[in-house]
Amino acid sequence: GSSSSWHGTLVSGIIGAATNNAIGIAGITWSGRILPVRGLGKCGGDDSDLIPAVLWAAGIHVSGVPDNPNPARIINLSLGSAGSCPASWQDAISQVVARDVLVVVAAGNESGPVGSPANCRGVAAIAALRHAGTKVGFSNLGREVALGAPGGNCVNLGGACLYSIDSTTND
């Protein structure tokens, strides 16, 4: 299989970085907690892997695994694919949202219309913005987008990545 991109680790670091300590970056909350749930591995995965992970994270019973004792209040999905929202995803999202859980999903990175599951009803689709506040060229965009957030803008001039977003990684 291919190597992991450690994208989930990077996103978790942006969300949960310690704040007001003069070290590294500041996270988006003063006292947040991270519930790491791995729905994809270095060899990828399918909706049949991801959907149960989302349900479990929200505290919904998933057959074959112990119930989650600490359900998430916000679920971040930095993933997606082209096309409309499949019924399987919409059913899962509806169950999760009924528990007052916010589902945040990347709009997509194909410079096209908002992908799935970001185009499912009830989610907050997020487009990527560059440092100047405009949409990053690769970000998907459409009426489903609820918010724009920093998405990096790795412009390479002379080899160095300018305007990257620093975070945690797997060393």
Side-chain angles (χ1 to χ4, degrees):
S2 62
S3 296
S4 176
S5 68
W6 301 103
H7 186 72
T9 301
L10 182 134
V11 172
S12 295
I14 293 169
I15 294 168
T19 303
N20 202 26
N21 63 1
I23 300 171
I25 65 169
I28 63 169
T29 180
W30 286 89
S31 59
R33 294 181 299 163
I34 304 283
L35 172 69
V37 178
R38 189 167 187 171
L40 296 174
K42 70 177 189 173
C43 297
D46 296 314
D47 287 352
S48 59
D49 302 307
L50 291 167
I51 291 172
V54 168
L55 294 171
W56 184 86
I60 297 169
H61 178 74
V62 173
S63 182
V65 295
D67 288 343
N68 176 0
N70 301 296
R73 294 174 43 207
I74 301 169
I75 295 175
N76 177 73
L77 298 170
S78 232
L79 53 84
S81 62
S84 60
C85 177
S88 57
W89 267 109
Q90 188 59 63
D91 177 61
I93 298 286
S94 295
Q95 290 181 61
V96 169
V97 169
R99 291 188 170 230
D100 293 326
V101 176
L102 173 62
V103 181
V104 177
V105 187
N109 296 335
E110 294 77 40
S111 301
V114 174
S116 171
N119 57 20
C120 294
R121 287 183 320 280
V123 307
I126 311 298
L129 302 178
R130 61 174 47 95
H131 67 287
T134 56
K135 183 183 82 68
V136 174
F138 60 77
S139 182
N140 292 358
L141 189 62
R143 63 177 179 75
E144 302 92 345
V145 170
L147 189 68
N153 187 25
C154 199
V155 176
N156 294 311
L157 300 173
C161 177
L162 303 177
Y163 311 118
S164 64
I165 297 177
D166 297 329
S167 183
T168 50
T169 187
N170 181 49
D171 288 333

